[in-house]
Amino acid sequence: MVVFRETFYEILLYFYNDLLYNVNDSEVNEMENLDLSMVKIAQEKAKEREILQNLYLKSIQNGKMRQEVHGKKYPGKQGKQVKDNVKPIIFSLATVAVGLTVGIGTIEISDQVSHYNTVLEQKMEQELTTSQIAAYQKDQDMGNLITNTIEKLGEIDEAKKTLDNSNYDILGNNISDSETEYLPFDKDDLFQLSEKQQDAIDVATDQVIEEYKSRGR
Amino acid sequence: MIDNSRAVLENGIEYDVIEKIEWNHQSYIYLVNPKETEDICIRKEIEENGKTYLVGLDDQEEVNLALKLFTEKNQAEEN
Protein backbone atom coordinates (compact mmCIF):
# COMPACT_ATOMS: atom_id res chain seq x y z
CA MET A 1 0.00 0.00 0.00
CA VAL A 2 1.40 3.35 -0.99
CA VAL A 3 2.04 5.59 1.97
CA PHE A 4 0.87 9.08 1.06
CA ARG A 5 3.09 11.95 2.06
CA GLU A 6 0.28 14.38 1.42
CA THR A 7 -3.35 13.90 2.31
CA PHE A 8 -5.38 11.44 0.31
CA TYR A 9 -7.59 14.01 -1.30
CA GLU A 10 -4.79 16.41 -2.16
CA ILE A 11 -3.16 13.59 -4.08
CA LEU A 12 -6.50 12.83 -5.74
CA LEU A 13 -6.79 16.47 -6.81
CA TYR A 14 -3.22 16.41 -8.10
CA PHE A 15 -3.73 13.32 -10.24
CA TYR A 16 -6.99 14.43 -11.73
CA ASN A 17 -5.83 17.95 -12.47
CA ASP A 18 -2.82 16.41 -14.19
CA LEU A 19 -5.00 13.96 -16.11
CA LEU A 20 -7.39 16.71 -17.21
CA TYR A 21 -4.62 18.42 -19.15
CA ASN A 22 -2.99 15.31 -20.66
CA VAL A 23 -5.73 13.54 -22.61
CA ASN A 24 -6.25 13.51 -26.36
CA ASP A 25 -9.21 15.28 -27.98
CA SER A 26 -11.26 12.13 -28.61
CA GLU A 27 -11.42 11.35 -24.90
CA VAL A 28 -12.06 14.90 -23.69
CA ASN A 29 -15.85 14.79 -23.22
CA GLU A 30 -15.91 11.52 -21.33
CA MET A 31 -12.85 12.37 -19.25
CA GLU A 32 -14.03 15.90 -18.51
CA ASN A 33 -17.21 14.64 -16.87
CA LEU A 34 -15.30 12.16 -14.74
CA ASP A 35 -12.47 14.60 -14.03
CA LEU A 36 -14.75 17.46 -13.04
CA SER A 37 -16.74 15.29 -10.68
CA MET A 38 -13.56 13.97 -9.08
CA VAL A 39 -12.11 17.47 -8.85
CA LYS A 40 -15.32 18.65 -7.24
CA ILE A 41 -15.14 15.83 -4.72
CA ALA A 42 -11.53 16.68 -3.96
CA GLN A 43 -12.38 20.37 -3.53
CA GLU A 44 -15.29 19.56 -1.23
CA LYS A 45 -13.06 17.31 0.84
CA ALA A 46 -10.41 20.02 1.02
CA LYS A 47 -13.06 22.43 2.35
CA GLU A 48 -14.18 19.86 4.92
CA ARG A 49 -10.59 19.47 6.07
CA GLU A 50 -10.32 23.23 6.50
CA ILE A 51 -13.47 23.28 8.65
CA LEU A 52 -12.15 20.34 10.64
CA GLN A 53 -8.80 22.06 11.29
CA ASN A 54 -10.67 25.14 12.55
CA LEU A 55 -12.74 22.86 14.78
CA TYR A 56 -9.56 21.39 16.25
CA LEU A 57 -8.10 24.85 16.86
CA LYS A 58 -11.22 26.07 18.63
CA SER A 59 -11.94 22.94 20.63
CA ILE A 60 -8.63 21.67 21.92
CA GLN A 61 -7.59 22.76 25.40
CA ASN A 62 -5.55 25.87 25.92
CA GLY A 63 -5.18 28.15 28.89
CA LYS A 64 -8.07 30.36 27.82
CA MET A 65 -10.58 27.57 27.40
CA ARG A 66 -11.90 27.43 30.92
CA GLN A 67 -14.82 29.61 31.69
CA GLU A 68 -17.37 29.48 34.40
CA VAL A 69 -20.97 29.26 33.26
CA HIS A 70 -24.10 29.74 35.28
CA GLY A 71 -25.80 26.40 35.19
CA LYS A 72 -25.63 23.41 32.91
CA LYS A 73 -25.89 23.85 29.18
CA TYR A 74 -28.57 22.28 27.06
CA PRO A 75 -29.78 22.55 23.44
CA GLY A 76 -32.57 25.11 23.11
CA LYS A 77 -35.16 25.60 20.41
CA GLN A 78 -32.89 27.68 18.21
CA GLY A 79 -30.01 25.26 18.73
CA LYS A 80 -32.16 22.38 17.56
CA GLN A 81 -33.06 24.28 14.41
CA VAL A 82 -29.42 25.12 13.79
CA LYS A 83 -28.55 21.47 14.37
CA ASP A 84 -30.76 20.38 11.46
CA ASN A 85 -28.70 22.59 9.14
CA VAL A 86 -25.36 21.64 10.62
CA LYS A 87 -25.80 17.88 10.98
CA PRO A 88 -24.64 17.05 7.42
CA ILE A 89 -21.51 19.14 7.96
CA ILE A 90 -20.68 17.38 11.22
CA PHE A 91 -21.37 13.96 9.70
CA SER A 92 -18.88 14.84 6.95
CA LEU A 93 -16.35 16.11 9.47
CA ALA A 94 -16.63 12.84 11.40
CA THR A 95 -15.91 10.93 8.21
CA VAL A 96 -12.98 13.17 7.38
CA ALA A 97 -11.68 13.00 10.95
CA VAL A 98 -11.83 9.22 11.00
CA GLY A 99 -10.31 9.00 7.56
CA LEU A 100 -7.81 11.80 7.58
CA THR A 101 -6.67 12.57 11.12
CA VAL A 102 -3.20 13.96 10.72
CA GLY A 103 -0.66 11.23 11.21
CA ILE A 104 -3.28 8.52 11.58
CA GLY A 105 -5.79 9.09 8.79
CA THR A 106 -4.03 7.38 5.93
CA ILE A 107 -3.65 4.36 8.18
CA GLU A 108 -7.43 4.36 8.72
CA ILE A 109 -8.06 4.38 4.96
CA SER A 110 -5.34 1.86 4.24
CA ASP A 111 -6.61 -0.37 7.09
CA GLN A 112 -10.07 -0.45 5.55
CA VAL A 113 -8.81 -1.22 2.06
CA SER A 114 -6.15 -3.60 3.30
CA HIS A 115 -8.68 -5.55 5.37
CA TYR A 116 -11.11 -5.50 2.43
CA ASN A 117 -8.42 -6.95 0.17
CA THR A 118 -7.48 -9.64 2.71
CA VAL A 119 -11.08 -10.72 3.28
CA LEU A 120 -11.87 -10.66 -0.43
CA GLU A 121 -8.81 -12.70 -1.30
CA GLN A 122 -9.78 -15.37 1.22
CA LYS A 123 -13.32 -15.53 -0.12
CA MET A 124 -12.18 -15.63 -3.74
CA GLU A 125 -9.91 -18.60 -3.02
CA GLN A 126 -12.82 -20.44 -1.43
CA GLU A 127 -15.65 -19.52 -3.75
CA LEU A 128 -14.44 -18.42 -7.19
CA THR A 129 -12.89 -20.27 -10.07
CA THR A 130 -9.52 -19.36 -11.49
CA SER A 131 -11.11 -17.62 -14.45
CA GLN A 132 -13.47 -15.65 -12.22
CA ILE A 133 -10.54 -14.50 -10.09
CA ALA A 134 -8.67 -13.56 -13.27
CA ALA A 135 -11.69 -11.51 -14.38
CA TYR A 136 -11.61 -9.62 -11.09
CA GLN A 137 -7.86 -8.99 -11.39
CA LYS A 138 -8.31 -7.74 -14.92
CA ASP A 139 -10.96 -5.26 -13.79
CA GLN A 140 -8.66 -4.02 -11.04
CA ASP A 141 -5.76 -3.60 -13.47
CA MET A 142 -7.92 -1.43 -15.72
CA GLY A 143 -8.32 1.05 -12.91
CA ASN A 144 -5.55 2.66 -10.91
CA LEU A 145 -4.69 2.69 -7.24
CA ILE A 146 -6.72 5.78 -6.40
CA THR A 147 -9.78 4.75 -8.43
CA ASN A 148 -9.75 1.27 -6.94
CA THR A 149 -9.37 2.68 -3.44
CA ILE A 150 -12.26 5.11 -3.90
CA GLU A 151 -14.45 2.33 -5.26
CA LYS A 152 -13.71 0.05 -2.34
CA LEU A 153 -14.33 2.78 0.22
CA GLY A 154 -17.61 3.51 -1.55
CA GLU A 155 -18.61 -0.15 -1.43
CA ILE A 156 -17.80 -0.29 2.27
CA ASP A 157 -19.90 2.84 2.92
CA GLU A 158 -22.84 1.44 0.99
CA ALA A 159 -22.57 -1.87 2.82
CA LYS A 160 -22.52 -0.05 6.15
CA LYS A 161 -25.92 1.48 5.33
CA THR A 162 -27.41 -2.00 5.04
CA LEU A 163 -26.38 -2.93 8.58
CA ASP A 164 -28.85 -2.78 11.44
CA ASN A 165 -27.61 0.11 13.60
CA SER A 166 -29.36 -1.30 16.65
CA ASN A 167 -26.79 -4.11 16.66
CA TYR A 168 -23.94 -1.70 17.40
CA ASP A 169 -23.05 0.71 20.13
CA ILE A 170 -21.78 4.22 19.46
CA LEU A 171 -18.22 2.98 19.03
CA GLY A 172 -19.17 0.34 16.48
CA ASN A 173 -18.97 -2.63 18.84
CA ASN A 174 -21.41 -5.41 18.00
CA ILE A 175 -23.82 -5.68 20.93
CA SER A 176 -26.11 -8.30 19.42
CA ASP A 177 -25.94 -12.06 20.02
CA SER A 178 -23.69 -12.49 17.01
CA GLU A 179 -20.95 -15.09 17.34
CA THR A 180 -18.81 -13.44 14.69
CA GLU A 181 -15.12 -13.37 15.50
CA TYR A 182 -13.62 -9.95 15.00
CA LEU A 183 -10.09 -8.69 14.76
CA PRO A 184 -9.31 -6.74 17.96
CA PHE A 185 -9.85 -3.00 17.84
CA ASP A 186 -8.01 -0.67 20.16
CA LYS A 187 -8.03 3.04 19.53
CA ASP A 188 -4.40 3.21 20.55
CA ASP A 189 -3.48 0.45 18.15
CA LEU A 190 -2.60 0.89 14.51
CA PHE A 191 -5.51 -1.35 13.50
CA GLN A 192 -8.44 1.01 13.78
CA LEU A 193 -11.37 -0.88 12.35
CA SER A 194 -14.44 -1.24 14.52
CA GLU A 195 -16.61 -4.36 14.45
CA LYS A 196 -19.19 -2.43 12.45
CA GLN A 197 -16.59 -1.54 9.84
CA GLN A 198 -15.48 -5.16 9.73
CA ASP A 199 -19.09 -6.24 9.19
CA ALA A 200 -19.49 -3.68 6.41
CA ILE A 201 -16.36 -5.03 4.72
CA ASP A 202 -17.77 -8.54 5.06
CA VAL A 203 -20.99 -7.47 3.33
CA ALA A 204 -19.15 -5.51 0.63
CA THR A 205 -16.84 -8.41 -0.22
CA ASP A 206 -19.79 -10.83 -0.31
CA GLN A 207 -21.33 -8.63 -2.97
CA VAL A 208 -18.14 -8.72 -5.05
CA ILE A 209 -18.04 -12.50 -4.79
CA GLU A 210 -21.66 -12.74 -5.93
CA GLU A 211 -20.96 -10.44 -8.85
CA TYR A 212 -18.05 -12.48 -10.14
CA LYS A 213 -19.78 -15.79 -9.47
CA SER A 214 -22.56 -14.68 -11.76
CA ARG A 215 -20.07 -14.26 -14.60
CA GLY A 216 -19.99 -18.01 -15.02
CA ARG A 217 -17.19 -20.52 -14.89
CA MET B 1 -32.28 36.01 32.56
CA ILE B 2 -29.49 33.55 31.84
CA ASP B 3 -29.97 31.52 28.67
CA ASN B 4 -28.15 28.21 29.08
CA SER B 5 -28.92 27.20 25.51
CA ARG B 6 -26.21 29.63 24.42
CA ALA B 7 -22.63 30.33 25.38
CA VAL B 8 -20.33 33.27 24.77
CA LEU B 9 -16.85 31.89 24.35
CA GLU B 10 -13.47 33.50 24.91
CA ASN B 11 -13.52 34.95 21.38
CA GLY B 12 -16.58 37.01 22.33
CA ILE B 13 -18.87 35.17 19.91
CA GLU B 14 -22.20 33.77 21.04
CA TYR B 15 -22.77 30.14 20.10
CA ASP B 16 -25.92 28.04 20.17
CA VAL B 17 -25.81 24.76 22.02
CA ILE B 18 -26.98 22.26 19.41
CA GLU B 19 -26.28 19.03 21.26
CA LYS B 20 -25.16 17.64 24.56
CA ILE B 21 -23.87 14.09 24.85
CA GLU B 22 -22.93 12.27 28.02
CA TRP B 23 -20.30 9.60 27.57
CA ASN B 24 -17.82 7.96 29.90
CA HIS B 25 -18.52 10.48 32.66
CA GLN B 26 -17.95 13.39 30.29
CA SER B 27 -20.49 15.90 29.02
CA TYR B 28 -19.71 17.11 25.50
CA ILE B 29 -21.32 20.38 24.45
CA TYR B 30 -21.59 21.06 20.73
CA LEU B 31 -21.61 24.74 19.82
CA VAL B 32 -22.37 26.45 16.52
CA ASN B 33 -22.16 30.12 15.59
CA PRO B 34 -25.71 30.79 14.30
CA LYS B 35 -24.35 33.50 11.99
CA GLU B 36 -21.74 31.21 10.44
CA THR B 37 -22.66 27.56 10.57
CA GLU B 38 -19.20 26.35 9.60
CA ASP B 39 -17.94 27.91 12.85
CA ILE B 40 -18.30 24.87 15.08
CA CYS B 41 -16.59 23.97 18.32
CA ILE B 42 -16.91 21.46 21.12
CA ARG B 43 -16.45 21.89 24.84
CA LYS B 44 -16.67 19.69 27.90
CA GLU B 45 -18.91 20.71 30.76
CA ILE B 46 -17.39 20.00 34.17
CA GLU B 47 -18.33 20.75 37.74
CA GLU B 48 -15.83 21.73 40.36
CA ASN B 49 -16.59 22.93 43.88
CA GLY B 50 -20.22 23.44 43.03
CA LYS B 51 -19.45 25.55 39.97
CA THR B 52 -19.94 24.68 36.30
CA TYR B 53 -17.25 25.31 33.70
CA LEU B 54 -16.84 24.83 29.98
CA VAL B 55 -13.36 23.60 29.13
CA GLY B 56 -11.57 22.59 25.95
CA LEU B 57 -10.98 19.02 24.87
CA ASP B 58 -7.65 17.31 25.47
CA ASP B 59 -6.51 16.53 21.91
CA GLN B 60 -7.56 15.74 18.35
CA GLU B 61 -8.41 12.22 19.34
CA GLU B 62 -10.99 13.45 21.83
CA VAL B 63 -12.45 15.83 19.23
CA ASN B 64 -12.72 12.93 16.80
CA LEU B 65 -14.45 10.86 19.45
CA ALA B 66 -16.90 13.69 20.09
CA LEU B 67 -17.62 13.88 16.36
CA LYS B 68 -18.24 10.15 16.24
CA LEU B 69 -20.56 10.34 19.25
CA PHE B 70 -22.56 13.12 17.60
CA THR B 71 -22.78 11.25 14.32
CA GLU B 72 -23.82 7.96 15.87
CA LYS B 73 -26.48 9.58 18.05
CA ASN B 74 -27.98 11.76 15.35
CA GLN B 75 -27.84 9.19 12.57
CA ALA B 76 -29.57 6.70 14.87
CA GLU B 77 -32.27 9.29 15.56
CA GLU B 78 -32.77 9.79 11.83
CA ASN B 79 -33.31 6.06 11.23
Side-chain angles (χ1 to χ4, degrees):
Chain A
M1 184 71 187
V2 172
V3 176
F4 297 123
R5 288 182 297 156
E6 302 173 57
T7 63
F8 176 77
Y9 289 105
E10 283 174 351
I11 289 178
L12 178 65
L13 187 59
Y14 170 80
F15 274 107
Y16 279 89
N17 272 330
D18 183 61
L19 195 58
L20 188 63
Y21 295 105
N22 287 287
V23 296
N24 61 44
D25 289 342
S26 63
E27 296 170 317
V28 164
N29 285 337
E30 187 176 341
M31 289 304 298
E32 273 186 350
N33 289 336
L34 175 63
D35 295 343
L36 287 173
S37 64
M38 298 309 296
V39 167
K40 186 181 174 189
I41 290 172
Q43 289 173 336
E44 287 172 356
K45 291 302 177 185
K47 177 66 178 173
E48 287 169 355
R49 282 182 52 243
E50 182 186 342
I51 296 172
L52 181 62
Q53 290 300 329
N54 286 334
L55 172 63
Y56 287 144
L57 285 171
K58 289 179 180 175
S59 303
I60 294 172
Q61 185 75 268
N62 67 42
K64 296 179 184 177
M65 289 181 184
R66 181 183 178 88
Q67 59 187 113
E68 185 179 354
V69 293
H70 301 287
K72 294 188 177 182
K73 294 296 177 185
Y74 59 87
K77 185 177 177 183
Q78 177 164 313
K80 288 176 183 174
Q81 291 173 342
V82 171
K83 184 169 85 166
D84 284 340
N85 294 331
V86 168
K87 265 194 299 190
I89 298 174
I90 297 181
F91 293 165
S92 296
L93 293 181
T95 304
V96 175
V98 167
L100 288 175
T101 301
V102 175
I104 302 175
T106 52
I107 295 176
E108 173 77 17
I109 290 175
S110 70
D111 266 345
Q112 286 196 63
V113 175
S114 175
H115 186 62
Y116 175 109
N117 290 338
T118 299
V119 170
L120 183 62
E121 190 177 329
Q122 289 169 352
K123 289 181 180 178
M124 284 198 295
E125 285 176 3
Q126 292 166 4
E127 300 186 50
L128 297 185
T129 63
T130 305
S131 61
Q132 288 166 339
I133 294 173
Y136 173 81
Q137 294 295 344
K138 184 180 176 185
D139 289 346
Q140 292 293 295
D141 290 343
M142 288 176 68
N144 59 44
L145 178 62
I146 292 179
T147 306
N148 292 345
T149 298
I150 292 171
E151 270 185 22
K152 288 170 186 175
L153 291 174
E155 288 168 13
I156 295 168
D157 275 345
E158 286 302 308
K160 198 180 286 186
K161 293 174 188 174
T162 68
L163 300 176
D164 184 348
N165 283 327
S166 65
N167 288 338
Y168 304 92
D169 66 15
I170 55 175
L171 295 180
N173 298 313
N174 193 320
I175 56 175
S176 70
D177 294 329
S178 170
E179 295 179 4
T180 306
E181 289 186 16
Y182 293 97
L183 292 173
F185 161 61
D186 182 333
K187 69 178 178 65
D188 294 322
D189 208 336
L190 282 181
F191 186 74
Q192 295 272 347
L193 298 189
S194 67
E195 291 173 355
K196 189 175 184 181
Q197 283 174 310
Q198 292 180 54
D199 280 345
I201 288 170
D202 190 56
V203 170
T205 50
D206 277 345
Q207 290 169 349
V208 173
I209 294 296
E210 289 308 311
E211 179 190 346
Y212 283 87
K213 262 188 190 175
S214 68
R215 294 192 185 190
R217 298 183 172 269
Chain B
M1 182 178 168
I2 296 171
D3 183 356
N4 281 320
S5 69
R6 297 194 171 127
V8 178
L9 299 186
E10 64 284 347
N11 56 9
I13 297 174
E14 185 175 71
Y15 290 79
D16 284 329
V17 177
I18 66 164
E19 184 63 87
K20 180 175 184 176
I21 296 177
E22 311 275 352
W23 187 79
N24 195 29
H25 308 296
Q26 302 281 8
S27 295
Y28 293 103
I29 307 293
Y30 299 78
L31 301 160
V32 175
N33 180 345
K35 295 179 182 175
E36 192 180 328
T37 52
E38 291 178 355
D39 182 3
I40 304 166
C41 58
I42 306 170
R43 292 283 189 276
K44 285 188 290 194
E45 185 179 82
I46 65 172
E47 286 197 35
E48 284 182 2
N49 301 320
K51 295 182 180 179
T52 306
Y53 298 88
L54 291 183
V55 300
L57 276 60
D58 294 337
D59 49 32
Q60 283 187 10
E61 205 169 308
E62 191 172 18
V63 174
N64 293 344
L65 172 63
L67 289 171
K68 276 176 114 169
L69 293 172
F70 181 97
T71 299
E72 294 284 350
K73 179 183 177 188
N74 286 279
Q75 283 187 336
E77 287 174 353
E78 282 184 351
N79 292 334

